[in-house]
Amino acid sequence: MAKMEVKSSLLDNMIGVGDMVLLEPLNEETFIDNLKKRFDHNEIYTYIGSVVISVNPYRSLPIYSPEKVEDYRNRNFYELSPHIFALSDEAYRSLRDQDKDQCILITGESGAGKTEASKLVMSYVAAVCGKGAEVNQVKEQLLQSNPVLEAFGNAKTVRNDNSSRFGKYMDIEFDFKGDPLGGVISNYLLEKSRVVKQPRGERNFHVFYQLLSGASEELLHKLKLERDFSRYNYLSLDSAKVNGVDDAANFRTVRNAMQIVGFLDHEAESVLEVVAAVLKLGNIEFKPESRVNGLDESKIKDKNELKEICELTSIDQVVLERAFSFRTVEAKQEKVSTTLNVAQAYYARDALAKNLYSRLFSWLVNRINESIKAQTKVRKKVMGVLDIYGFEIFEDNSFEQFIINYCNEKLQQIFIELTLKEEQEEYIREDIEWTHIDYFNNAIICDLIENNTNGILAMLDEECLRPGTVTDETFLEKLNQVCATHQHFESRMSKCSRFLNDTTLPHSCFRIQHYAGKVLYQVEGFVDKNNDLLYRDLSQAMWKAGHALIKSLFPEGNPAKVNLKRPPTAGSQFKASVATLMKNLQTKNPNYIRCIKPNDKKAAHIFNESLVCHQIRYLGLLENVRVRRAGYAFRQAYEPCLERYKMLCKQTWPHWKGPARSGVEVLFNELEIPMEEYSFGRSKIFIRNPRTLFQLEDLRKQRLEDLATLIQKIYRGWKCRTHFLLMKRSQVVIAAWYRRYAQQKRYQQIKSSALVIQSYIRGWKARKILRELKHQKRCKEAATTIAAYWHGTQVRREYRKFFRANAGKKIYEFTLQRIVQKYLLEMKNKMPSLSPIDKNWPSRPFLFLDSTHKELKRIFHLWRCKKYRDQFTDQRKLIYEEKLEASELFKDKKALYPSSVGQPFQGAYLEINKNPKYKKLKDAIEEKIIIAEVVNKINRANGKSTSRIFLLTNNNLLLADQKSGQIKSEVPLVDVTKVSMSSQNDGFFAVHLKEGSEAASKGDFLFSSDHLIEMATKLYRTTLSQTKQKLNIEISDEFLVQFRQDKVCVKFIQGNQKNGSVPTCKRKNNRLLEVAVP
């Protein structure tokens, strides 16, 4: 059964007001109170129409799970509570289904959560778009580009631990099915001044700390770096460690992300080498040195850092050292070389570090674009995500804040234009009369900054390019002359200045009235930062580097392509980038996410109303609500509107069968809502005042309560009736089951009674029959007894005359027969066990049965021996035959024999076939092995023993080395003539060889073994089997053995052994070998 879809709405269970357009009354105080109320209940998202306001919670919330993604997938924008997923889904479905290119603009100040918002948008789109190996790879590359750019472009600031110090715009390209094909990233205004100097409490870019914390010792040594942050002047130490941030783990994440995006190993190494070079540039220090002409010249204090930089970048040390000390100026065909003083040298060093890092960052963006760009040339749909710095108002505002705020002015301008355009298009599409909306147009402020003739950027460029002395003060004077009458420009010397009553305006500053408020800019540094000059000597030195990446970053350093034309200023470049961005955004359908930071402490559950109020003002959120509410505050399609409010009218409840618009008309007429409060569009109803909507909601709430009461009443009645019917059916079932039970019980009682009666009757009958049978038996026995006595009397009468002649013999024979019969019957019950070794036998009862008794004993023993033998297998028979052979050879001759009787003869003690150690020995022997045992071979010269493997096969006797398994001796059995041993309890034995045989060249063998009886028996049987001759077994305490040409007497003596019960062997002289036996 399909799951029933539950209809829901933004208005259901609403905390505060989910859409600020419906806020009543609308003012700054109620706006902030509504945000705070929702923030306190973990509702961090609020709508302004289709705009999403996001308040940074500074903690993890369980609202981004895969289940939440599925909740918002393919749902109407206002169907569920406000969420960034709703906007992402609306943008993705418009792109996929309506073929409209989309852009998502994320703005807000540092720490408001812009970067996290862009990640959430990308993760949602990645989750809901198609699947497949190629699609998943593209999604993974797009997502993994974030860690790389964050490492090189983000830094810890006083407002945010992961602040983006550059603007990023990513175009994600999709095919006609809505599957991602690739992307293109554009970056804007990297804060490269952070490379050389950071404000107190802030850090340099993340990558420097990640490299020093997470790189291996080997990599650090290769990059000529040390792990200590304090060794580098470009790294601030007061905020080197950030709570909750693991730089080492993040470094591994970045390396893995670079690999996924498509960076080759040598490219990643080159990037880290450039980062290391930038770090080490900050350690170069200069000292003044006077020249002959009286001018000061700078010299490098310690050239070791310079040497290591040159080794990293493959630059000639002399060339780079000269570039830090001299500056060459070219004019037409002339070249003028001037020395740099210490201040200029430090400026050149920092300019090189900033340029090197910013160009590396731009190269990274381009390299990522190469990897993630779409591989196909089919027509693409595009979704742009803009994550750019918000409006900035600091205590000291300089050139960076000026152009950032200029960018936000342009974004505000396009936001108002596109919002009004979207409203007007919807009114026209729905055939609603469009009324003019008054709003503040900030085009006048944009013109003040970007006008090509008298704009601030144009005058800054003009001041930077003109000959003569150019300073920040001359630039301010020019502004005072040109912009003095502009209503949004103020300075101390301008006509619009209110110096007499505003003492906060210093001499070296100017103030601009932005849409978000007044901002005071310090003019100091404007000219230098706009020029962004890098001495040509340094560019040429970088181009001469042997490092391929560094060389590619400085193409202007090529002497063959010298361009005497000054490069474009930073301001003009940024202005052109912003213009391109605005043109790109105007071709797409916009979606907005406004990020707000609730407090400056980066802490959860804190809502600073003054800080939020400041952000609401400069984001222009109230202005946005007023534009949205200028005509009609709320609009909704007819179908969901009728579905939501149809219970307020009897004609539309519960089902309306006509068109949805007709149903809404009937509904509104029934409710007597004034005509001026609403208008009917083609597909939507437009409600002018939020009060009307809330009135409808109140009526709906009251009606739902009435309907709930009615439903409860009907449900309770249905439940009680259902319960009654169930009880009634249950009673019938219980009664039926009880009657059945009662009848069964009664039947069982009758049955058991019948059985008892039957048993008693059967017992009585059985006893009666038993009595009759016993009587008949007694009668038979009595008749038999009487007959027996009668026959006995008759026989005695008949044979009485013969009795005296034969009575003795008859009685004797009869008595003898009865005695023998009794004897045999008793023997049957007194038979001993079937064990052959059991010697028990019953005693004879009479002397005349002695011979019979012995014969029976012999026959019984033979019979049970046969029975025992019949149980033997062939192998067991062989063992007993060997044991029997040993008994014949050694019983009562060798003292060692009794202890060997209970030991089974195993033969193969070493298990050569199973042990891999003896594989070589096994392969060398083709015959069946009868004995494989380790014995001690007695040395013929000194009587000492050596371990050998004793092998007996069908035809040969072999000796092998115990460790290596190599065969030392091989003796055919036909050459063995005799085996000699003592009669004592020792394991010594001699193997005598046939004189003149090849094996007897060194003489006889003398061994010692723990299995002497078994080895001698098997050798005897094997020799008998092969040669058909019995092997001579000599048992004597003295015997002669042949050692080479000498006859040696082996003599066994009793003695006390030092080493316990082990016999010892000692050579006394050339003719005597003594064996001491314990």
Side-chain angles (χ1 to χ4, degrees):
M1 181 178 177
K3 182 180 178 181
M4 186 177 69
E5 183 178 357
V6 179
K7 296 292 183 181
S8 55
S9 170
L10 170 71
L11 302 171
D12 288 333
N13 303 319
M14 187 167 58
I15 297 172
V17 178
D19 190 342
M20 290 294 189
V21 175
L22 305 177
L23 189 62
E24 189 72 22
L26 176 64
N27 54 54
E28 198 171 76
E29 183 179 352
T30 58
F31 194 100
I32 296 173
D33 287 344
N34 188 56
L35 281 181
K36 185 176 187 301
K37 185 177 182 181
R38 292 178 62 79
F39 177 81
D40 291 340
H41 289 81
N42 296 330
E43 293 287 344
I44 63 171
Y45 296 112
T46 309
Y47 291 156
I48 302 178
S50 60
V51 177
V52 175
I53 302 174
S54 171
V55 183
N56 192 347
Y58 286 116
R59 61 193 178 100
S60 298
L61 295 176
I63 58 174
Y64 306 109
S65 62
E67 291 77 16
K68 280 289 183 182
V69 172
E70 289 301 318
D71 288 345
Y72 283 87
R73 186 172 185 173
N74 295 327
R75 302 295 285 267
N76 184 278
F77 185 75
Y78 296 102
E79 193 171 338
L80 298 175
S81 59
H83 202 290
I84 194 172
F85 286 169
L87 180 137
S88 305
D89 186 74
E90 184 76 13
Y92 176 70
R93 285 193 292 114
S94 298
L95 175 139
R96 182 191 63 192
D97 302 335
Q98 302 176 19
D99 204 17
K100 291 182 180 179
D101 288 349
Q102 304 289 317
C103 64
I104 298 177
L105 281 68
I106 307 172
T107 55
E109 70 174 55
S110 178
K114 301 187 298 298
T115 302
E116 287 301 316
S118 67
K119 290 180 184 178
L120 289 171
V121 170
M122 293 178 65
S123 65
Y124 179 85
V125 173
V128 300
C129 64
K131 311 293 181 186
E134 293 184 5
V135 173
N136 290 339
Q137 182 181 0
V138 172
K139 290 193 290 188
E140 188 68 14
Q141 286 186 334
L142 290 172
L143 294 174
Q144 291 299 326
S145 64
N146 280 325
V148 179
L149 294 179
E150 284 184 14
F152 287 86
N154 289 23
K156 189 261 182 190
T157 64
V158 291
R159 297 184 175 185
N160 186 2
D161 289 343
N162 188 32
S163 176
S164 297
R165 308 317 299 161
F166 70 103
K168 182 179 75 171
Y169 177 74
M170 173 184 280
D171 269 333
I172 308 173
E173 299 173 338
F174 298 83
D175 63 9
F176 70 97
K177 302 189 301 296
D179 294 340
L181 297 173
V184 179
I185 300 174
S186 302
N187 65 301
Y188 301 94
L189 192 67
L190 177 72
E191 188 190 13
K192 56 186 178 183
S193 60
R194 181 172 293 273
V195 175
V196 299
K197 185 179 180 181
Q198 304 91 43
R200 180 175 295 278
E202 298 189 3
R203 294 204 314 177
N204 209 324
F205 292 103
H206 291 327
V207 68
F208 296 112
Y209 304 92
Q210 292 173 359
L211 175 61
L212 296 180
S213 300
S216 63
E217 295 294 339
E218 181 183 357
L219 179 59
L220 289 178
H221 179 72
K222 184 178 180 181
L223 298 177
K224 305 185 185 305
L225 296 175
E226 298 179 21
R227 209 173 288 281
D228 185 8
F229 295 157
S230 62
R231 292 275 295 111
Y232 303 99
N233 297 331
Y234 280 166
L235 300 183
S236 60
L237 299 180
D238 55 343
S239 299
K241 295 291 184 181
V242 181
N243 293 332
V245 176
D246 188 347
D247 288 320
N250 290 340
F251 179 73
R252 293 189 291 272
T253 302
V254 171
R255 291 297 299 268
N256 183 55
M258 293 177 75
Q259 187 176 5
I260 293 174
V261 170
F263 282 80
L264 302 177
D265 290 341
H266 72 86
E267 290 177 330
E269 290 177 4
S270 297
V271 169
L272 295 180
E273 287 170 354
V274 175
V275 173
V278 172
L279 262 183
K280 298 185 77 62
L281 273 173
N283 291 350
I284 295 179
E285 296 182 347
F286 302 94
K287 60 182 179 180
E289 186 173 294
S290 299
R291 301 184 67 185
V292 178
N293 56 9
L295 297 176
D296 284 339
E297 179 183 358
S298 65
K299 289 291 183 182
I300 297 176
K301 289 183 180 180
D302 183 3
K303 295 185 180 180
N304 185 50
E305 294 285 354
L306 180 67
K307 178 183 176 183
E308 291 183 349
I309 293 174
C310 293
E311 290 174 355
L312 270 175
T313 57
S314 300
I315 300 175
D316 188 350
Q317 183 174 343
V318 176
V319 173
L320 187 57
E321 185 178 0
R322 176 176 173 78
F324 281 132
S325 302
F326 294 89
R327 178 187 178 187
T328 302
V329 180
E330 296 186 21
K332 296 184 181 180
Q333 302 299 324
E334 297 181 2
K335 289 185 179 181
V336 179
S337 181
T338 60
T339 60
L340 300 179
N341 58 30
V342 172
Q344 291 172 330
Y346 277 115
Y347 172 83
R349 180 200 68 177
D350 291 345
L352 176 60
K354 291 187 292 184
N355 273 271
L356 191 58
Y357 191 82
S358 65
R359 296 185 188 202
L360 172 64
F361 186 77
S362 299
W363 180 88
L364 279 171
V365 173
N366 294 332
R367 179 64 184 83
I368 292 174
N369 285 337
E370 288 180 12
S371 296
I372 66 175
K373 68 180 179 181
Q375 302 299 321
T376 59
K377 296 183 179 180
V378 297
R379 181 178 175 274
K380 308 175 186 70
K381 304 175 185 179
V382 177
M383 177 186 289
V385 180
L386 178 65
D387 174 11
I388 202 162
Y389 15 65
F391 201 88
E392 293 188 351
I393 304 177
F394 299 150
E395 292 184 4
D396 295 323
N397 301 290
S398 187
F399 178 74
E400 290 85 1
Q401 283 69 46
F402 174 72
I403 56 177
I404 285 173
N405 293 343
Y406 160 61
C407 177
N408 278 273
E409 287 285 357
K410 295 294 289 183
L411 288 174
Q412 176 68 9
Q413 184 182 22
I414 195 173
F415 169 67
I416 296 297
E417 289 177 1
L418 293 177
T419 302
L420 287 174
K421 181 181 177 183
E422 184 182 5
E423 283 284 295
Q424 187 173 7
E425 285 178 351
E426 184 172 20
Y427 276 50
I428 294 171
R429 186 169 58 250
E430 295 293 330
D431 198 18
I432 301 293
E433 182 181 356
W434 172 257
T435 55
H436 178 72
I437 298 175
D438 292 327
Y439 67 95
F440 171 68
N441 190 343
N442 68 336
I444 186 172
I445 303 175
C446 296
D447 186 69
L448 169 65
I449 297 172
E450 69 181 4
N451 190 286
N452 291 330
T453 55
N454 56 1
I456 294 177
L457 286 176
M459 286 184 286
L460 180 59
D461 287 349
E462 183 179 333
E463 192 68 12
C464 290
L465 297 176
R466 75 174 177 84
T469 303
V470 177
T471 63
D472 296 318
E473 287 72 19
T474 60
F475 165 62
L476 182 59
E477 289 175 5
K478 191 160 191 172
L479 286 182
N480 291 333
Q481 294 173 6
V482 177
C483 304
T485 59
H486 199 287
Q487 58 182 338
H488 291 277
F489 177 84
E490 299 176 9
S491 74
R492 191 160 187 147
M493 303 302 295
S494 68
K495 294 180 181 179
C496 294
S497 171
R498 289 180 288 278
F499 176 71
L500 295 176
N501 56 11
D502 186 2
T503 58
T504 62
L505 195 62
H507 288 281
S508 60
C509 298
F510 66 91
R511 181 186 291 151
I512 294 180
Q513 175 71 45
H514 288 283
Y515 78 92
K518 294 182 179 181
V519 182
L520 183 67
Y521 295 103
Q522 300 283 345
V523 77
E524 181 183 356
F526 262 62
V527 174
D528 285 340
K529 292 176 181 178
N530 189 50
N531 271 325
D532 194 22
L533 286 179
L534 179 67
Y535 297 150
R536 183 174 289 115
D537 301 77
L538 289 171
S539 297
Q540 291 177 349
M542 292 297 104
W543 187 84
K544 293 177 182 177
H547 196 281
L549 176 56
I550 293 180
K551 186 170 185 176
S552 67
L553 297 179
F554 294 88
E556 75 276 10
N558 188 350
K561 298 180 181 178
V562 174
N563 186 4
L564 299 181
K565 184 179 179 180
R566 293 193 59 164
T569 60
S572 61
Q573 290 182 50
F574 187 73
K575 177 182 173 184
S577 299
V578 170
T580 303
L581 176 63
M582 297 301 115
K583 186 177 179 182
N584 191 357
L585 295 179
Q586 285 177 339
T587 63
K588 295 178 173 62
N589 185 50
N591 302 271
Y592 300 96
I593 301 174
R594 304 298 205 186
C595 298
I596 291 179
K597 181 170 63 173
N599 60 78
D600 278 329
K601 299 179 180 179
K602 296 179 280 190
H605 308 294
I606 298 177
F607 191 91
N608 188 325
E609 295 187 9
S610 60
L611 177 63
V612 173
C613 178
H614 169 70
Q615 295 173 78
I616 289 172
R617 288 174 182 172
Y618 79 66
L619 286 173
L621 298 183
L622 278 173
E623 185 76 10
N624 187 8
V625 178
R626 291 191 181 100
V627 168
R628 180 79 183 193
R629 287 179 53 163
Y632 294 91
F634 181 77
R635 69 285 317 262
Q636 190 175 28
Y638 290 121
E639 287 79 4
C641 179
L642 181 62
E643 184 70 24
R644 185 167 183 83
Y645 302 111
K646 63 182 181 180
M647 71 287 297
L648 301 180
C649 176
K650 293 182 179 179
Q651 300 177 46
T652 56
W653 178 256
H655 300 292
W656 174 259
K657 297 183 179 179
R661 174 169 176 166
S662 302
V664 174
E665 290 177 354
V666 171
L667 175 66
F668 275 53
N669 290 333
E670 178 75 16
L671 295 174
E672 298 181 354
I673 298 174
M675 291 290 294
E676 61 271 12
E677 286 296 320
Y678 63 90
S679 291
F680 293 104
R682 295 182 186 275
S683 62
K684 296 180 181 179
I685 180 156
F686 288 73
I687 298 176
R688 187 179 301 278
N689 200 311
R691 285 193 299 272
T692 304
L693 180 65
F694 293 139
Q695 181 184 352
L696 286 173
E697 284 296 312
D698 291 339
L699 291 173
R700 179 177 180 270
K701 183 178 180 181
Q702 182 60 43
R703 180 59 178 160
L704 286 177
E705 291 178 358
D706 296 340
L707 289 174
T709 304
L710 178 62
I711 292 170
Q712 286 177 346
K713 179 181 72 173
I714 295 173
Y715 171 74
R716 290 191 185 108
W718 170 84
K719 186 177 181 181
C720 289
R721 177 168 176 77
T722 303
H723 181 67
F724 167 74
L725 293 176
L726 179 62
M727 293 288 288
K728 185 178 180 180
R729 287 196 299 270
S730 301
Q731 185 270 333
V732 173
V733 172
I734 291 170
W737 277 90
Y738 175 75
R739 285 193 294 271
R740 176 186 174 187
Y741 166 75
Q743 291 297 324
Q744 284 180 340
K745 188 174 181 181
R746 184 166 176 269
Y747 167 76
Q748 292 294 339
Q749 288 176 349
I750 294 172
K751 185 178 178 181
S752 60
S753 301
L755 290 174
V756 170
I757 293 170
Q758 287 176 352
S759 64
Y760 273 102
I761 291 173
R762 290 192 187 101
W764 171 75
K765 286 184 178 181
R767 287 192 295 275
K768 182 179 179 181
I769 293 171
L770 179 62
R771 284 194 299 271
E772 292 176 353
L773 291 174
K774 284 183 177 180
H775 177 69
Q776 292 175 5
K777 183 179 179 183
R778 282 197 297 271
C779 291
K780 277 185 181 182
E781 289 177 350
T784 303
T785 303
I786 293 169
Y789 275 98
W790 171 251
H791 289 307
T793 303
Q794 292 295 329
V795 170
R796 282 192 296 275
R797 286 176 182 174
E798 183 70 27
Y799 288 95
R800 187 172 292 159
K801 55 185 174 182
F802 304 106
F803 182 72
R804 287 187 177 91
N806 300 313
K809 183 179 180 182
K810 292 280 186 183
I811 293 172
Y812 170 76
E813 290 176 356
F814 178 78
T815 304
L816 187 62
Q817 182 182 3
R818 290 296 296 167
I819 290 173
V820 171
Q821 185 181 11
K822 184 179 179 182
Y823 163 70
L824 293 175
L825 290 174
E826 288 179 353
M827 285 295 292
K828 176 184 175 182
N829 297 325
K830 294 180 180 180
M831 285 289 112
S833 67
L834 294 179
S835 174
I837 62 174
D838 187 0
K839 296 183 180 181
N840 293 324
W841 185 252
S843 60
R844 53 177 170 73
F846 302 100
L847 183 61
F848 75 92
L849 292 174
D850 185 56
S851 60
T852 304
H853 195 67
K854 290 180 180 178
E855 184 63 20
L856 282 176
K857 180 178 179 182
R858 186 185 68 82
I859 293 171
F860 178 76
H861 181 68
L862 293 175
W863 174 78
R864 70 181 176 183
C865 286
K866 181 179 182 304
K867 294 288 286 184
Y868 186 75
R869 287 196 303 272
D870 290 343
Q871 299 175 4
F872 289 174
T873 61
D874 293 340
Q875 183 179 359
R876 197 169 178 188
K877 285 181 180 178
L878 179 62
I879 293 174
Y880 278 100
E881 287 175 2
E882 290 178 347
K883 285 288 186 179
L884 186 59
E885 193 81 56
S887 175
E888 294 176 355
L889 292 173
F890 303 108
K891 187 176 181 182
D892 300 328
K893 300 176 183 177
K894 177 70 173 171
L896 185 65
Y897 170 74
S899 62
S900 70
V901 173
Q903 298 177 357
F905 290 172
Q906 298 181 14
Y909 289 95
L910 296 184
E911 296 184 345
I912 292 177
N913 293 332
K914 297 180 181 179
N915 196 333
K917 177 180 177 182
Y918 302 118
K919 184 177 182 304
K920 181 178 178 183
L921 180 59
K922 175 182 171 250
D923 294 340
I925 301 173
E926 298 179 354
E927 299 178 90
K928 178 183 176 182
I929 298 175
I930 300 172
I931 290 180
E933 164 67 337
V934 175
V935 300
N936 291 322
K937 177 179 172 294
I938 308 303
N939 192 298
R940 300 177 179 93
N942 52 21
K944 293 183 179 180
S945 61
T946 306
S947 294
R948 287 287 186 267
I949 298 175
F950 185 95
L951 298 171
L952 177 63
T953 65
N954 290 332
N955 295 310
N956 296 293
L957 186 151
L958 300 95
L959 294 177
D961 186 79
Q962 185 183 5
K963 295 182 179 179
S964 65
Q966 183 180 358
I967 297 175
K968 296 291 187 178
S969 301
E970 183 173 359
V971 180
L973 291 182
V974 295
D975 291 343
V976 177
T977 60
K978 184 172 66 172
V979 174
S980 298
M981 63 189 72
S982 74
S983 61
Q984 301 184 39
N985 193 18
D986 63 271
F988 283 85
F989 68 98
V991 178
H992 300 271
L993 305 180
K994 185 188 295 183
E995 292 185 8
S997 63
E998 183 180 352
S1001 59
K1002 293 184 179 180
D1004 300 334
F1005 292 106
L1006 187 59
F1007 301 110
S1008 175
S1009 172
D1010 294 334
H1011 303 94
L1012 168 61
I1013 302 299
E1014 179 182 359
M1015 295 178 71
T1017 303
K1018 287 184 180 291
L1019 182 59
Y1020 176 83
R1021 288 174 59 82
T1022 305
T1023 305
L1024 180 61
S1025 174
Q1026 296 300 319
T1027 64
K1028 308 301 181 185
Q1029 295 180 359
K1030 291 185 178 181
L1031 182 65
N1032 186 13
I1033 304 293
E1034 181 184 355
I1035 301 177
S1036 174
D1037 289 343
E1038 288 188 19
F1039 54 81
L1040 294 175
V1041 293
Q1042 184 75 32
F1043 285 174
R1044 292 189 184 275
Q1045 303 302 323
D1046 299 328
K1047 292 282 187 180
V1048 177
C1049 177
V1050 179
K1051 185 177 181 180
F1052 292 83
I1053 62 172
Q1054 296 289 333
N1056 294 326
Q1057 305 301 313
K1058 296 180 181 179
N1059 53 353
S1061 61
V1062 180
T1064 57
C1065 184
K1066 188 174 181 182
R1067 184 74 178 265
K1068 289 293 186 179
N1069 50 53
N1070 291 339
R1071 300 294 180 181
L1072 180 62
L1073 186 67
E1074 274 189 1
V1075 179
V1077 180

